[in-house]
Amino acid sequence: MTMTSTNALALRDPWALVPPIGNLDAYITAVNRIPLLTPEEEGEFARQLRDKDDVQAAGRLVLSHLRLVVSVSRQYLGYGLPQGDLIQEGNVGLMKAVRRFDPEQGVRLVSYALHWIKAEIHEYILKNWRMVKVATTKAQRKLFFNLRSMKQTLKSKSGDQSFRATLTPDEVATMARDLNVKPEEVVEMETRLSGGDVAFEPQGDEGEETFAPIAYLADDTQEPTRVLEARGRDWLGSDGIAHALDQLDPRSRRIVEERWLKVNDDSSGGMTLHELAADYGVSAERIRQIEVAAMKKMRKALEAA
């Protein structure tokens, strides 16, 4: 597409120039080709938005500054968040700036929007990054977003270009003084920023089980179904069995107890069918039938309990 055809398309439907942000490379290429507005055009569109609430004018102002959001988003890639997400949040800040922009103040929209773009990206990072619980006060947020650049500046001033993962005591004291925080907070922030993230669940699909924290941090003993199952087993092993045995006649109860609930001194188990048959003067088959009937009756009693 030539520049002439691009300008013509921008006049008819400016948003048609912007592809979905899911294809990040195509999106960045497209927004960099969108024509910039002259100061006169910017002022005219801003007045149309302010005076007539012209949505099309607002769209022209937003589109011409999308490349600014892309540029700002690159400054925050070190926090491990997708650039596409950073751009989307920055675009929200840009739209807020366009809505509040007053062309009579004598400043260009690019200068006014910069604050709003960065503010939205900052909030997004603080809400989604692993350090959010540490960066709670205004001073800690300032430390969070300036630690890397301040560390590099201090190294440059000292002439030390070697890689060091930690700060020296003098560097810690300097940062704490400049940012109005405690030295301990600088050390804690540096430690956490230097640490790597560990995925809680297995990453990728390699066809093999991956040993991730979820495999050894989960406490299965407190899982609700496990707790209920354990309680059920405990009840069956004590009160449940006693309740079921109470439903039997004396002979059936003794047969069940002798066969399944008693252990001889030699650990060989309870009485055999033949031993019980001899004791009651019946056949072993009759004892087995009584045992089967007693077991069915006990199961029904347990199910009904």
Side-chain angles (χ1 to χ4, degrees):
M1 184 181 294
T2 65
M3 186 58 65
T4 301
S5 60
T6 300
N7 289 334
L9 182 58
L11 289 173
R12 294 195 306 271
D13 183 11
W15 291 103
L17 297 173
V18 184
I21 202 169
N23 188 339
L24 188 59
D25 291 337
Y27 174 87
I28 294 175
T29 300
V31 299
N32 285 332
R33 290 176 177 172
I34 296 175
L36 296 175
L37 298 177
T38 65
E40 293 75 19
E41 290 173 331
E42 182 180 292
E44 180 61 26
F45 286 134
R47 293 183 187 92
Q48 290 178 20
L49 174 61
R50 182 193 62 189
D51 301 335
K52 302 178 181 178
D53 203 23
D54 188 339
V55 177
Q56 282 292 103
R60 298 288 177 80
L61 292 170
V62 170
L63 282 168
S64 64
H65 290 80
L66 290 179
R67 67 177 68 190
L68 173 63
V69 177
V70 172
S71 177
V72 173
S73 71
R74 293 194 181 101
Q75 302 173 21
Y76 298 94
L77 295 179
Y79 295 100
L81 296 171
Q83 187 179 8
D85 292 348
L86 295 174
I87 291 173
Q88 286 183 328
E89 295 301 318
N91 286 345
V92 172
L94 172 60
M95 288 185 281
K96 289 182 178 180
V98 167
R99 171 58 65 181
R100 293 167 174 80
F101 179 60
D102 184 356
E104 311 306 335
Q105 293 296 321
V107 297
R108 293 295 302 272
L109 177 57
V110 63
S111 301
Y112 182 77
L114 200 57
H115 163 77
W116 289 93
I117 295 169
K118 288 185 175 181
E120 288 297 321
I121 292 177
H122 285 189
E123 285 301 315
Y124 172 74
I125 293 173
L126 288 172
K127 288 178 181 178
N128 292 275
W129 206 62
R130 54 191 168 94
M131 287 296 301
V132 62
K133 292 184 179 179
V134 176
T136 54
T137 67
K138 183 177 180 179
Q140 287 174 332
R141 289 188 179 199
K142 188 175 181 181
L143 171 60
F144 176 82
F145 285 109
N146 290 279
L147 184 59
R148 283 190 177 91
S149 59
M150 289 188 69
K151 182 177 179 180
Q152 187 61 41
T153 300
L154 289 173
K155 287 174 61 178
S156 299
K157 288 182 178 179
S158 65
D160 180 9
Q161 298 302 319
S162 61
F163 174 79
R164 285 186 288 107
T166 58
L167 298 167
T168 66
D170 290 340
E171 291 173 339
V172 170
T174 300
M175 287 189 180
R177 183 181 64 253
D178 292 346
L179 296 174
N180 193 29
V181 296
K182 297 178 181 179
E184 294 81 7
E185 293 177 342
V186 176
V187 173
E188 180 181 6
M189 190 72 74
E190 168 64 9
T191 300
R192 299 200 179 199
L193 282 168
S194 300
D197 287 328
V198 177
F200 184 63
E201 296 181 341
Q203 302 296 303
D205 185 14
E206 300 177 357
E208 299 179 0
E209 286 195 28
T210 305
F211 194 62
I214 193 174
Y216 55 84
L217 291 180
D219 185 4
D220 291 337
T221 61
Q222 299 304 315
E223 200 273 326
T225 57
R226 297 280 183 118
V227 172
L228 292 175
E229 289 174 359
R231 289 177 182 175
R233 286 193 299 269
D234 292 342
W235 183 81
L236 285 175
S238 54
D239 296 341
I241 294 296
H243 169 73
L245 288 171
D246 287 341
Q247 313 305 311
L248 304 178
D249 61 82
R251 184 176 62 171
S252 298
R253 176 166 181 158
R254 180 179 177 237
I255 290 175
V256 171
E257 289 178 338
E258 292 290 350
R259 288 277 291 148
W260 300 104
L261 301 179
K262 287 187 178 181
V263 179
N264 293 332
D265 294 337
D266 60 358
S267 300
S268 60
M271 297 175 67
T272 66
L273 292 175
H274 292 283
E275 290 172 338
L276 286 168
D279 197 8
Y280 282 104
V282 296
S283 65
E285 176 60 22
R286 179 57 185 156
I287 296 297
R288 189 191 67 79
Q289 292 173 355
I290 295 173
E291 177 187 356
V292 171
M295 288 294 189
K296 289 181 179 180
K297 193 171 184 178
M298 290 179 66
R299 277 196 294 270
K300 290 182 179 179
L302 291 174
E303 292 172 357

